[in-house]
Amino acid sequence: VTRGCAHNNCTYCNMYRGVKFEKLSDEQIMRQIELARATDAEGVRRVFLADGDALVLPTDRLLKILAVLKEYFPNLERVASYAAPGDILRKSVEELTSLRKAGLTLLNYGMESGDSQTLKEIRKGVTGEQSIEVGKRAIAAGMQLSIMVILGIAGAEGSERHALATMKSSRPCFPRCPSCSIAAAN
């Protein structure tokens, strides 16, 4: 649904360097969906809304895409997407809930760190507090989160700070996870 990453400023990521961010047109998206449908409509169980920044699209546009996916693929079980923190913060819990009800149930969230200093150094575009809010919103909307954290991203000097802040930040995202609660309490 997009090409590249709308943020594309993180110091550690080269995935979309040199790729101009672009929102695909409805026609381009429909062409891809129709191609998949013609190939194996019954066999499609999972869809990933690519590229690096699908949630940058307005909620109403995402809802239309999800409705088409549901219509075209009768055995569709799950739709997933990468989720940049800024994109989640721009959506209300109500918007996220409507996306979940329409079929977008899994967000792959690149948290990277829960430490504000580390996040600033890697130019993630959010603070540690905002990364907590991202998780809370997604969980409140009933979405599943697959959170990516980069071990060692703060270097040797910031490693302990990064680890402790990340455990504290991720705790609200996994309130029923005993190992996270124990680790965060230490």
Side-chain angles (χ1 to χ4, degrees), residues 109-172:
Y109 167 41
M111 179 182 192
E112 321 324 349
S113 178
D115 176 50
S116 290
Q117 182 177 337
T118 301
L119 291 167
K120 182 178 180 182
E121 289 169 359
I122 64 172
R123 297 194 318 240
K124 188 69 183 174
V126 293
T127 65
E129 293 76 22
Q130 289 171 314
S131 68
I132 293 171
E133 179 61 26
V134 166
K136 285 181 177 180
R137 282 188 194 193
I139 296 300
M143 294 181 146
Q144 293 178 322
L145 276 180
S146 175
I147 296 180
M148 294 165 274
V149 172
I150 301 177
L151 300 177
I153 196 155
E157 291 179 17
S159 186
E160 184 175 347
R161 182 192 72 241
H162 157 65
L164 292 172
T166 302
M167 286 303 301
K168 183 179 178 184
S169 295
S170 61
R171 187 175 181 186

Side-chain angles (χ1 to χ4, degrees), residues 33-95:
I33 293 171
E34 287 170 358
L35 183 63
R37 179 185 189 194
T39 303
D40 187 11
E42 297 292 320
V44 173
R45 302 230 181 322
R46 296 180 177 186
V47 170
F48 189 87
L49 299 177
D51 214 5
D53 218 353
L55 281 186
V56 75
L57 294 180
T59 301
D60 61 337
R61 188 153 180 236
L62 285 168
L63 289 170
K64 289 175 189 172
I65 293 166
L66 292 166
V68 171
L69 291 172
K70 189 180 252 182
E71 176 188 341
Y72 281 26
F73 304 110
N75 297 313
L76 187 63
E77 297 168 358
R78 180 178 82 195
V79 179
S81 172
Y82 286 130
D87 295 332
I88 295 174
L89 291 172
R90 281 187 287 277
K91 296 202 184 299
S92 67
V93 172
E94 292 77 20
E95 288 176 290

Side-chain angles (χ1 to χ4, degrees), residues 97-116:
T97 300
S98 67
L99 290 169
R100 184 207 22 100
K101 287 179 179 177
L104 179 61
T105 58
L106 175 64
L107 299 179
N108 293 291
Y109 167 41
M111 179 182 192
E112 321 324 349
S113 178
D115 176 50
S116 290

